[in-house]
Amino acid sequence: MQQRILVLGGDGFCGWPTTLHLSSRGHDVRIVDNLVRRRQDEELGVQSLTPIRTLSERVETWRQLGGQDIGVSTLDIARDYAELKALIGAWRPDAIVHFAEQRSAPYSMKSPWHKRYTVDNNLNATHNVLCAIVENGLEEHCHLVHLGTMGVYGYKTSRFKLPEGYQRVRLLSPEDGEESEDVEILYPPDPGSIYHMTKTQDQLFFYYYNKNDGLRITDLHQGIVWGTETAETLRDERLINRFDYDGDFGTVLNRFIMQAAIGHPLTVHGTGGQTRAFIHIRDTVQCIHLAIENPPVLGERVRVFNQTTETHRVRDLAQLIHGMTGAELQYLDNPRIEALENELRVENQGLQNLGLAPITLSAGLLEEVSDVAGKYRERCKLGKIPARSRWRARR
């Protein structure tokens, strides 16, 4: 069934391929974006390894290739509340996909300004969307799908699999130790950066608006994304997706592959014993589509899925790329404050129950990413590879 879908942050790394994926399946899609991610490239003095076109050229290329028209609204949802409210009220979307948050943990820790910007942008953006849905009376009509992060759970070793959002607990009375009936609560948050902290606050916004106003919300706790292209972005080079490799926005596996392609040592921070959850960009867009097609029913609590397909230690990934390419490993000081080693087991059956067939690390797709990195290697600025944001300032 065709739906009207707003994609907030639809020009970004996950937003752009998701927009094309939804459009290719017949949905009426409109992008809302303030293009801040492109301005951050200018701020940081680095560009996507892949040469991404302007948003207008991207959209026009898709139309020329026979795709549906994709509308564009250029506004800042964290600040332009009146415009956002008017757009949602006039367009009456069946679903809103919310990518429009500052998405980098290192960027959020660069300076006090970056910390304050991340909090201001992310919390206002999320709350403005929720408030606009309610003010337009679309509580029952519109389904909000939010891209969260596995980082809300923290990265301490747990004796059991991390659940999908909710943890069953038994409470004890502080007076007499009497046990309660089992209850389910949101899994206790443990943010590791200002960015992750804003995502934990998003959860509370969703909990409140679901309880108070009956909003239908799906929160997707996503792992680290690897890969860059999808079936839709591969149709024409003008549709190519971002490939970030710098120390602020580049994700670890993509960075390793790019470093190998240019003959740079693979930069492993700390011992490399950090275990993280991963997902391919093709699975990301598929998960969003599955969430949209399977909304919560009216009155259902916030639905939470762990949008991840596998977990790996960072040093194991580095060894994998070393085995493929012969690239050397370089162990560096870890700028983050985190455990040197951790185990991570994740419950991720929810989206598979809806039909996701997970893509796991395979030589074929790793080679595809390596080919992209090699093709555009001349665009790499070596000085932008190191991760320079520190979690605690040196005194």
Side-chain angles (χ1 to χ4, degrees):
M1 181 181 69
Q2 184 190 55
Q3 296 192 48
R4 294 165 67 85
I5 303 172
L6 283 181
V7 181
L8 311 178
D11 186 47
F13 172 57
C14 291
W16 174 243
T18 298
T19 297
L20 295 186
H21 186 79
L22 296 173
S23 178
S24 72
R25 279 148 182 76
H27 297 297
D28 185 5
V29 186
R30 187 174 194 88
I31 289 172
V32 179
D33 204 299
N34 67 347
L35 307 181
V36 68
R37 182 65 192 88
R38 294 174 183 259
R39 295 195 296 275
Q40 287 165 340
D41 281 347
E42 297 174 4
E43 172 200 346
L44 299 172
V46 63
Q47 293 182 321
S48 163
L49 192 70
T50 50
I52 57 173
R53 305 300 178 95
T54 64
L55 180 55
S56 60
E57 186 174 357
R58 283 175 150 185
V59 168
E60 177 59 20
T61 299
W62 182 248
R63 187 191 65 78
Q64 291 173 2
L65 292 173
Q68 295 198 110
D69 286 342
I70 296 173
V72 175
S73 294
T74 305
L75 60 90
D76 185 338
I77 69 167
R79 291 168 175 79
D80 303 332
Y81 177 72
E83 292 87 343
L84 175 66
K85 176 188 169 186
L87 173 62
I88 291 176
W91 216 64
R92 294 183 61 83
D94 300 292
I96 296 175
V97 183
H98 180 19
F99 294 111
E101 294 181 274
Q102 193 292 100
R103 66 174 176 85
S104 164
Y107 185 86
S108 77
M109 303 297 290
K110 287 182 74 65
S111 74
W113 183 90
H114 291 87
K115 293 177 181 179
R116 293 170 53 247
Y117 165 76
T118 300
V119 170
D120 180 57
N121 180 83
N122 291 6
L123 300 193
N124 279 331
T126 297
H127 188 247
N128 283 351
V129 173
L130 294 165
C131 199
I133 294 172
V134 172
E135 278 208 81
N136 280 296
L138 299 178
E139 297 94 330
E140 297 184 5
H141 177 80
C142 183
H143 170 210
L144 177 65
V145 178
H146 172 256
L147 192 70
T149 172
M150 286 293 300
V152 300
Y153 300 116
Y155 292 110
K156 294 177 181 176
T157 297
S158 173
R159 292 183 299 166
F160 51 85
K161 280 187 175 182
L162 291 176
E164 298 203 274
Y166 299 95
Q167 177 67 49
R168 183 174 294 276
V169 299
R170 180 165 295 178
L171 304 177
L172 298 178
S173 168
E175 288 82 15
D176 54 20
E178 183 179 349
E179 294 184 354
S180 71
E181 296 293 325
D182 285 0
V183 296
E184 283 198 319
I185 62 172
L186 282 171
Y187 189 88
D190 186 18
S193 72
I194 293 295
Y195 157 75
H196 291 105
M197 185 271 292
T198 64
K199 293 292 190 175
T200 67
Q201 179 61 46
D202 285 342
Q203 290 189 117
L204 294 179
F205 281 146
F206 299 149
Y207 175 83
Y208 173 79
Y209 274 91
N210 170 262
K211 178 183 70 172
N212 193 71
D213 298 286
L215 264 62
R216 294 181 300 145
I217 301 169
T218 298
D219 196 11
L220 302 171
H221 292 172
Q222 179 166 263
I224 297 170
V225 181
W226 66 282
T228 190
E229 299 286 29
T230 64
E232 291 78 25
T233 64
L234 284 169
R235 290 182 59 185
D236 191 293
E237 189 175 33
R238 293 171 293 175
L239 300 176
I240 199 167
N241 197 24
R242 294 191 68 94
F243 190 121
D244 295 311
Y245 65 89
D246 62 284
D248 287 306
F249 283 95
T251 58
V252 62
L253 184 52
N254 279 6
R255 278 166 54 86
F256 284 165
I257 295 170
M258 187 280 303
Q259 289 167 355
I262 65 172
H264 190 284
L266 310 183
T267 52
V268 180
H269 293 97
T271 67
Q274 309 95 323
T275 305
R276 296 291 184 263
F278 292 86
I279 185 170
H280 193 275
I281 186 66
R282 298 184 190 183
D283 277 347
T284 289
V285 301
Q286 179 67 9
C287 288
I288 298 294
H289 190 215
L290 288 170
I292 290 172
E293 288 192 333
N294 297 274
V297 299
L298 290 175
E300 184 179 343
R301 70 181 181 182
V302 177
R303 183 176 289 179
V304 180
F305 293 127
N306 291 335
Q307 187 167 297
T308 183
T309 55
E310 55 189 330
T311 61
H312 296 281
R313 288 191 189 279
V314 170
R315 62 170 172 258
D316 293 339
L317 293 177
Q319 287 290 347
L320 176 65
I321 303 304
H322 167 75
M324 290 176 56
T325 66
E328 297 180 3
L329 274 62
Q330 182 179 30
Y331 286 85
L332 305 175
D333 288 341
N334 191 351
R336 303 190 184 210
I337 298 174
E338 60 184 357
L340 294 177
E341 309 267 337
N342 75 291
E343 301 291 338
L344 184 65
R345 294 184 298 138
V346 180
E347 179 60 57
N348 63 348
Q349 195 60 43
L351 286 162
Q352 293 182 56
N353 290 341
L354 298 181
L356 176 68
I359 296 171
T360 55
L361 289 179
S362 66
L365 284 178
L366 284 173
E367 289 172 0
E368 176 186 298
V369 182
S370 182
D371 288 345
V372 172
K375 181 177 180 180
Y376 299 106
R377 57 184 295 172
E378 299 303 322
R379 290 172 54 86
C380 174
K381 292 185 177 182
L382 294 178
K384 300 300 179 180
I385 291 176
R388 303 190 188 280
S389 297
R390 304 195 68 85
W391 264 231
R392 182 178 295 144
R394 287 192 174 122
R395 300 296 183 186

